[in-house]
């Protein structure tokens, strides 16, 4: 349940391993919701994609990736440098890529569209003699050997499986997008282009700006690596994040959030103000910064959780999608072994849960203590 990064990667991986899987997604289509812009995939995320995607699609994900950040830069609101260092290169054999979220999701959907049901909102599940039945809000249902809740931070599957799970609210952030034309590129200082940066004022109002331009235009990359895949053209853009102490803006509409971002940064350097001013107001949205408390192990042989549904975390370290992809990879591998190792799906998913509990809640704790800023982890892209 859930056709986000985790659910789709798991479905791709299952198909590659000959395991039948169907994804039920609430949204009506792939691009209907504000989902953020740049995602930094580190080694675990890249490995999961390499293992779960057919080779051509994995190569397409790498070919459509965004130019890497070269420096980590912290400044004050007037762009006076406080700290700057080059991003160290990765150890041999490790790979990291920055990807455009919509492009990644389109790649994750490619070739499995027949197994993805859009407009299917999960409501509740019911164990039925060793199997499980998922019920949807439109009155339909589906049976299977294993139900995987991959339905994100507000997971309905988790609500039934772990009704006492607690998600802490760590604050909020406003995200926006500004088209990057040659004029804006010229007018923007190098510290804000192809860097992980954060400009912060003494009161704690902070802006980070990520440059999002692929190595190769997505259509050319698709023609080279997976000619049957259609990807939405994404013109170059800057993705920006505003954080500030205090309660979130009361008006949650895109236009009001954009106005709020412009007003909150009125005292910032003109180069920052220009980026926010030239943003596409309709592309502005707010996210709640959520962090899961450790949950207890559950005992439901036919139900499990992956990704934000079980371990949502602050985006401070840029780990959420990576850990989610790692879950999908691990669960697929465990399920794929059931035939050869003679284990049951229940044992496979129990082993997945045992391992996931270790690495995922360690990542939640690390992200929780991290200032919500550009990720500083080694090798991010
Ligand atoms: C702004 C932002 C920036 C981020 N940047 C990074 C980054 O750089 N690097 C990184 O590693 N992580 C990043 N993250 C975290 C990352 O986006 C998440 O960890 C990741 O998307 C989790 O994937 P998921 O599949 O578990 O959930 P999601 O991607 O949220 O997908 C859940 C899916 O389930 C569907 N769904 C929900 N309820 C139902 C229902 N009842 N029935 C059916 N379907 C349902 C939703 O529509 C959605 O498609 C960022 C997060 C945000 C908000």
């Amino acid at each position: 349940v859930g056709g986000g990064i985790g659910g789709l990667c798991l479905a791709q991986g299952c198909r590659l391993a000959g395991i039948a899987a169907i994804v039920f997604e609430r949204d009506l289509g792939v691009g209907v919701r504000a989902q953020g812009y740049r995602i930094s995939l580190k080694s675990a995320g890249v490995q999961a994609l390499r293992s779960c995607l057919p080779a051509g699609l994995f190569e397409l994900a790498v070919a459509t990736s965004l130019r890497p950040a070269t420096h980590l830069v912290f400044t004050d609101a007037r762009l006076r440098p406080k700290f700057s260092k080059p991003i160290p290169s990765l150890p041999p054999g490790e790979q990291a890529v920055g990807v455009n979220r919509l492009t990644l999701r389109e790649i994750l959907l490619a070739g499995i569209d027949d197994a993805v049901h859009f407009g299917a909102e999960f409501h509740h599940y019911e164990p039925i003699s060793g199997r499980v039945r998922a019920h949807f809000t439109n009155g339909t249902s589906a049976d299977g050997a294993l139900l995987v809740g991959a339905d994100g931070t507000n997971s309905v599957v988790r609500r039934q499986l772990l009704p006492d799970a607690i998600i802490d609210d760590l604050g909020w952030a406003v995200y926006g997008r500004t088209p990057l034309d040659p004029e804006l590129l010229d007018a923007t200082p190098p510290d804000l282009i192809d860097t992980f940066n954060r400009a912060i004022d003494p009161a704690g109002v902070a802006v980070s700006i990520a440059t999002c331009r692929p190595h190769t235009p997505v259509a050319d990359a698709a023609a080279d690596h997976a000619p049957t895949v259609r990807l939405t053209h994404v013109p170059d853009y800057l993705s920006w994040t505003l954080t500030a102490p205090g309660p979130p803006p009361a008006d949650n509409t895109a236009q009001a959030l954009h106005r709020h971002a412009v007003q909150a940064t009125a005292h910032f350097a003109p180069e920052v103000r220009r980026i926010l001013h030239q943003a596409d107001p309709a592309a502005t949205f707010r996210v709640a910064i959520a962090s899961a408390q450790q949950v207890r192990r559950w005992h439901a042989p036919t139900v499990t959780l992956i990704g934000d549904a079980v371990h949502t975390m602050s985006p401070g370290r840029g780990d959420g999608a990576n850990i989610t992809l790692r879950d999908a990879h691990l669960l697929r591998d465990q399920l794929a072994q059931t035939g050869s190792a003679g284990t049951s799906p229940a044992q496979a998913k129990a082993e997945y849960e045992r391992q996931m509990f270790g690495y995922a809640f360690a990542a939640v704790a690390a992200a929780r203590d991290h200032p919500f800023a550009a990720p500083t982890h080694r090798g991010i892209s």
Side-chain angles (χ1 to χ4, degrees):
V1 168
I5 290 172
L8 292 177
C9 181
L10 178 61
Q12 286 277 5
C14 284
R15 177 159 296 192
L16 212 53
I19 302 165
I22 300 185
V23 179
F24 296 92
E25 165 58 46
R26 176 186 61 185
D27 287 350
L28 297 176
V30 68
V32 299
R33 194 165 45 93
Q35 297 164 58
Y37 301 117
R38 184 189 178 108
I39 291 202
S40 295
L41 296 182
K42 304 174 195 173
S43 220
V46 174
Q47 266 180 37
L49 291 182
R50 185 184 280 117
S51 172
C52 290
L53 288 175
L57 289 183
F58 173 71
E59 282 155 20
L60 182 57
V62 175
T64 54
S65 65
L66 305 170
R67 294 199 210 175
T70 59
H71 280 73
L72 184 69
V73 180
F74 289 103
T75 71
D76 68 11
R78 306 300 300 177
L79 292 183
R80 285 180 293 247
K82 289 176 153 187
F83 171 83
S84 170
K85 70 166 191 185
I87 292 174
S89 49
L90 283 168
E94 288 200 18
Q95 195 177 7
V97 290
V99 294
N100 184 48
R101 187 185 280 255
L102 176 64
T103 306
L104 176 64
R105 206 160 172 226
E106 288 178 340
I107 292 171
L108 286 171
L109 259 175
I112 57 163
D113 5 7
D114 56 322
V116 181
H117 296 213
F118 284 103
E121 182 172 7
F122 171 82
H123 187 264
H124 70 281
Y125 64 81
E126 170 195 11
I128 40 155
S129 52
R131 288 167 65 82
V132 60
R133 177 166 297 160
H135 292 272
F136 300 92
T137 54
N138 60 9
T140 61
S141 65
D143 294 358
L146 180 65
L147 168 66
V148 181
D151 49 345
T153 304
N154 299 311
S155 170
V156 181
V157 180
R158 181 194 65 234
R159 224 174 284 154
Q160 182 174 352
L161 184 65
L162 297 167
D164 48 359
I166 297 171
I167 308 289
D168 291 327
D169 176 1
L170 301 188
W172 54 276
V174 172
Y175 279 77
R177 189 182 60 200
T178 303
L180 182 59
D181 57 27
E183 204 189 322
L184 182 60
L185 189 59
D186 267 359
T188 304
D191 272 357
L192 297 183
I193 294 292
D194 291 335
T195 59
F196 284 120
N197 55 66
R198 189 177 203 220
I200 184 164
D201 79 359
V205 177
V207 177
S208 296
I209 291 156
T211 313
C212 304
R213 38 182 184 163
H215 290 286
T216 315
V218 293
D220 295 357
D224 286 348
H225 297 281
T228 56
V229 176
R230 293 279 160 272
L231 298 177
T232 304
H233 172 63
V234 184
D236 295 350
Y237 64 96
L238 297 175
S239 155
W240 47 264
T241 312
L242 171 88
T243 51
D251 188 340
N252 215 10
T253 59
Q255 310 285 339
L257 290 170
H258 177 246
R259 264 196 317 275
H260 176 89
V262 168
Q263 282 160 8
T265 51
H267 55 300
F268 274 56
E271 293 88 346
V272 175
R273 294 204 323 264
R274 177 198 279 250
I275 292 168
L276 269 63
H277 190 73
Q278 292 186 7
D280 170 8
T284 317
F285 65 97
R286 192 178 93 195
V287 291
I289 309 300
S291 182
Q293 290 189 13
Q294 172 97 43
V295 293
R296 61 181 163 79
R297 294 289 299 273
W298 56 84
H299 301 283
T302 54
V303 184
T304 195
L305 299 170
I306 66 170
D308 282 6
V310 56
H311 50 60
T312 192
M313 64 188 80
S314 157
R317 284 170 57 94
D319 273 344
N322 287 280
I323 302 289
T324 297
L325 289 168
R326 182 172 174 183
D327 293 350
H329 183 191
L330 174 62
L331 179 56
R332 190 289 306 265
D333 281 0
Q334 294 299 325
L335 290 171
Q337 283 170 19
T338 51
S340 54
T343 49
S344 67
Q347 286 167 316
K349 72 114 202 166
E351 177 56 21
Y352 150 74
E353 287 159 8
R354 191 188 67 74
Q355 293 187 39
M356 178 273 288
F357 262 69
Y359 64 75
F361 284 99
V364 174
R368 201 183 180 98
D369 297 335
H370 202 273
F372 178 53
T376 56
H377 195 271
R378 202 159 172 251
I380 41 179
S381 178

